[in-house]
Amino acid sequence: MLSKLFRRKTDFQLTEEGSHSLHKVLSVRDLTLFGIAAIIGAGIFTSVGKACASGGPAVIWLFIICAVACAFAALCYAEFASRIPVSGSAYTYAYATFGELFAWVIGWALLMEYAIGNIYVAFSWSGYFTHLLDGFGLYLPRWMVVDYSSAHKFILAKQGLIDAAMAQGNSGALWIAANCNDAEKELVVAWTTAPNLIGGLKLILDVPALVINILITVLVYRGIKESRNASNAMVILKILAVVMVIAVGAFYIDFENFKPFMPKGFKGVMASVSAVFFTYIGFDAISTLAEESQNPKRDLPRGMFYSLIICTVLYVLVSLVLTGMVPFINLGVDDPLAYALQVKNVKWLEYIVSIIAVVAMASVLLVFQLGQPRIWLSMSRDGLLPSAFSKIHPKYKTPSFSTIITGLAVGVPIIFTNEDFVLDFTSIGTLFAFVLVCGGVLLLPKRELNGDDGFVLPHVHGKFLFPLLVALSATIIYFSVPSYFDDVFDLSKSETFTSFNLPHIIFWLFLICLSVLTFLKNFNLIPLMGLATCGYLLTGMNPNNWYWFFVWFAIGLVIYFVYGYRNSVLNKK
């Protein structure tokens, strides 16, 4: 049985054009714009503010670190895309290198990444949409624009204050509303005005988030051409908006806001790794569109690199402009771009940004909603999921059943969860996928090159270079940030052991082991750097992230052994 768990798939055949194939309509420009559509969205319009509030102006280093990690991962993705130009992304690549069990694990992690990531984006879209309507004097009932989980959690936390206020003859709700910020006031108003259902349950539901999910699901179901055209138009609009914010905001920079540049130290910079890394997973979505690409061996790698470079530059510039316009501590809001423009009284651009932000985040939903069904499609073809998931619509040429299930997988949790939970949960799955992809490249055999190979990953001998780089990095950190190693090996604070000390200790042990293996095996330096940078970013995940990841992981293993293991196509050979 053990050998069957690690059986590898070696036959990856693209289906010919016909009733059971996907439309091959995407060019390198389309793939690049799809990548930008996914990378620039909720991140640059929402979570970048929280990252700036945590790390200050120095958060640009986190964006650069994430971009470097993604660049190494993208090189490894590109190598796989050239060798195996089929849908499935990291799931397919793991199947070819690590075997079926790892393939299932990474496929299961990717389902979490796309579905839960889209839940966060749907919440963010709803926030901007509601803010936009409010600006035009169109106020939806607050119980229709917030999620039940956040409202219930906040009211429970403040119940004592409410009771105390009511005991003094005051209205508890009014007292809380007078002592809370705007977001908290919305939660109170939602709770106190919501209709009561059976058993005292209150009807609180983020309706805009549900509606946009339904509309995007319908669009993706209709076809890749329609999705491509809509995405391309939305991407052009949001790039225009971001460039305008950078160009106009540069004239409002107060350089005093850059002092201190790293106000909370490197811990503060790394504290937002889950929020920042979430923004970069768009290039991963490109690899799921392999079977709809005109020339996947050539165009997939180019689309990944172009989108990654463009978006990194924009993120760094936006972060510098925002922290220059407004003191970093004030940027922890849901709409940081609009907020900074509001503070500087640039009303005309504030309205434009708010409108385009609604469009921008819809494009992120679109790309993620395209990616997940195609992973399900690949897993179903391999027998790990029921055959219904690989059904192609005869007219629209889309994975119809998988698309509907994707819409449900995003829509149903919107009713029960909140954006803070899903943001932390999605990044860990992405990093895990990147680590397996980079590690998988180390296991690939060398190939005989010909003129139709597309992208070929250069082999840089890591035998001496990688151990040297690890030692050099440790030395630079020791002298430039002396407090880092003091914090890592200070085990006196038990409350930080699992959240900081243990992950960093494991990381450095991992680098030492990898250096020894590299010296013995002469591994390629490029995937090694991907493993090192992605591994470092994993140290920024808090224990709660890991807890929910392993819960999801355990559920996936149960499903695999109950269904996938027995029905695998490889099990029948």
Side-chain angles (χ1 to χ4, degrees):
M1 177 181 175
L2 188 61
S3 61
K4 288 186 177 181
L5 292 177
F6 301 101
R7 53 197 172 195
R8 300 179 185 180
K9 184 178 178 182
T10 56
D11 183 20
F12 296 93
Q13 294 183 351
L14 283 168
T15 55
E16 299 296 328
E17 286 282 355
S19 60
H20 299 290
S21 65
L22 303 172
H23 269 317
K24 292 180 174 296
V25 296
L26 301 179
S27 65
V28 64
R29 182 195 66 181
D30 298 324
L31 293 168
T32 301
L33 291 178
F34 268 126
I36 295 173
I39 298 172
I40 295 182
I44 209 163
F45 288 99
T46 300
S47 60
V48 68
K50 296 173 183 177
C52 290
S54 174
V59 77
I60 63 168
W61 294 117
L62 182 54
F63 281 110
I64 293 171
I65 290 171
C66 288
V68 170
C70 288
F72 287 122
L75 287 166
C76 298
Y77 267 88
E79 172 69 12
F80 273 119
S82 292
R83 294 191 185 218
I84 313 171
V86 298
S87 296
S89 183
Y91 157 76
T92 301
Y93 308 152
Y95 216 153
T97 51
F98 291 106
E100 186 171 282
L101 181 60
F102 277 97
W104 171 266
V105 169
I106 202 59
W108 192 244
L110 287 172
L111 297 184
M112 175 187 70
E113 169 195 329
Y114 283 105
I116 296 180
N118 247 4
I119 296 168
Y120 174 78
V121 179
F123 281 134
S124 299
W125 184 92
S126 175
Y128 262 96
F129 180 73
T130 303
H131 175 78
L132 184 61
L133 290 182
D134 291 348
F136 288 109
L138 302 173
Y139 295 95
L140 293 175
R142 298 299 96 172
W143 57 268
M144 291 180 60
V145 298
V146 302
D147 63 272
Y148 181 89
S149 175
S150 295
H152 185 240
K153 181 180 179 181
F154 180 74
I155 294 298
L156 283 179
K158 298 293 184 179
Q159 194 65 57
L161 294 175
I162 294 174
D163 293 341
M166 293 183 70
Q168 296 174 4
N170 300 320
S171 167
L174 290 176
W175 188 92
I176 292 295
N179 291 272
C180 301
N181 60 36
D182 290 341
E184 292 168 339
K185 287 177 183 178
E186 284 203 344
L187 297 178
V188 173
V189 172
W191 189 264
T192 56
T193 61
N196 289 315
L197 301 177
I198 299 174
L201 182 67
K202 291 183 176 290
L203 178 60
I204 299 177
L205 183 66
D206 197 328
V207 175
L210 279 176
V211 170
I212 190 62
N213 174 59
I214 293 171
L215 293 176
I216 292 295
T217 301
V218 171
L219 178 60
V220 172
Y221 184 91
R222 291 275 303 184
I224 189 66
K225 284 185 179 180
E226 292 80 2
S227 301
R228 176 197 63 187
N229 295 338
S231 176
N232 289 355
M234 289 188 281
V235 168
I236 292 170
L237 276 176
K238 66 182 176 183
I239 289 178
L240 195 60
V242 172
V243 170
M244 289 174 66
V245 169
I246 293 170
V248 174
F251 291 98
Y252 292 90
I253 290 178
D254 180 356
F255 288 97
E256 289 300 314
N257 289 334
F258 291 147
K259 301 175 183 178
F261 195 72
M262 194 181 291
K264 298 182 181 180
F266 205 68
K267 274 188 180 179
V269 172
M270 289 301 297
S272 295
V273 63
S274 61
V276 169
F277 196 80
F278 164 76
T279 66
Y280 278 103
I281 64 179
F283 85 85
D284 171 271
I286 296 175
S287 64
T288 68
L289 302 173
E291 293 185 39
E292 286 142 302
S293 304
Q294 294 171 353
N295 188 344
K297 289 186 176 183
R298 183 197 66 185
D299 293 346
L300 282 177
R302 291 183 179 182
M304 292 176 189
F305 298 136
Y306 294 161
S307 60
L308 189 60
I309 292 169
I310 292 169
C311 293
T312 300
V313 172
L314 292 177
Y315 269 113
V316 169
L317 292 178
V318 163
S319 300
L320 285 174
V321 167
L322 285 180
T323 52
M325 292 175 69
V326 181
F328 75 93
I329 200 67
N330 298 331
L331 288 170
V333 295
D334 290 334
D335 49 356
L337 271 65
Y339 170 77
L341 294 170
Q342 184 182 46
V343 170
K344 296 300 182 181
N345 202 30
V346 191
K347 293 290 184 183
W348 64 273
L349 186 53
E350 178 192 349
Y351 291 130
I352 292 175
V353 168
S354 295
I355 293 171
I356 294 180
V358 172
V359 176
M361 283 183 279
S363 68
V364 182
L365 284 162
L366 176 61
V367 176
F368 285 2
Q369 215 85 325
L370 279 169
Q372 184 172 336
R374 283 145 184 82
I375 296 173
W376 263 328
L377 169 72
S378 296
M379 296 175 77
S380 177
R381 285 174 175 172
D382 295 330
L384 303 184
L385 288 175
S387 59
F389 285 91
S390 57
K391 181 181 178 182
I392 304 296
H393 195 284
K395 179 180 178 181
Y396 300 130
K397 304 293 186 181
T398 58
S400 50
F401 180 78
S402 293
T403 300
I404 293 171
I405 297 300
T406 296
L408 291 173
V410 175
V412 173
I414 285 175
I415 302 172
F416 305 106
T417 188
N418 61 66
E419 63 181 35
D420 291 333
F421 170 76
V422 297
L423 177 62
D424 288 340
F425 197 22
T426 189
S427 293
I428 193 169
T430 307
L431 279 167
F432 190 70
F434 287 3
V435 166
L436 281 186
V437 169
C438 293
V441 168
L442 296 176
L443 302 180
L444 288 175
K446 291 183 179 180
R447 52 176 168 160
E448 296 296 328
L449 304 181
N450 59 62
D452 192 37
D453 275 320
F455 176 84
V456 178
L457 182 69
H459 184 86
V460 180
H461 296 291
K463 184 179 181 70
F464 298 107
L465 273 178
F466 185 73
L468 180 62
L469 286 173
V470 170
L472 185 62
S473 299
T475 303
I476 292 174
I477 293 171
Y478 179 79
F479 286 105
S480 60
V481 191
S483 62
Y484 172 76
F485 284 111
D486 291 338
D487 291 337
V488 169
F489 294 104
D490 180 10
L491 307 182
S492 60
K493 299 176 181 179
S494 58
E495 68 275 8
T496 63
F497 179 74
T498 55
S499 61
F500 182 78
N501 304 93
L502 183 60
H504 283 264
I505 290 172
I506 292 174
F507 169 71
W508 285 103
L509 289 175
F510 172 70
L511 287 186
I512 292 171
C513 293
L514 205 55
S515 298
V516 173
L517 286 173
T518 300
F519 182 79
L520 297 175
K521 301 287 186 179
N522 192 21
F523 287 143
N524 189 343
L525 181 66
I526 294 173
L528 287 170
M529 294 303 294
L531 282 170
T533 50
C534 291
Y536 178 70
L537 291 175
L538 279 173
T539 64
M541 300 295 161
N542 64 53
N544 193 50
N545 298 153
W546 287 106
Y547 170 78
W548 285 108
F549 176 75
F550 284 119
V551 168
W552 180 259
F553 175 77
I555 294 171
L557 286 181
V558 171
I559 295 174
Y560 171 72
F561 284 110
V562 169
Y563 183 89
Y565 176 77
R566 297 180 181 180
N567 293 278
S568 169
V569 171
L570 296 185
N571 200 36
K572 300 173 184 178
K573 291 185 178 181

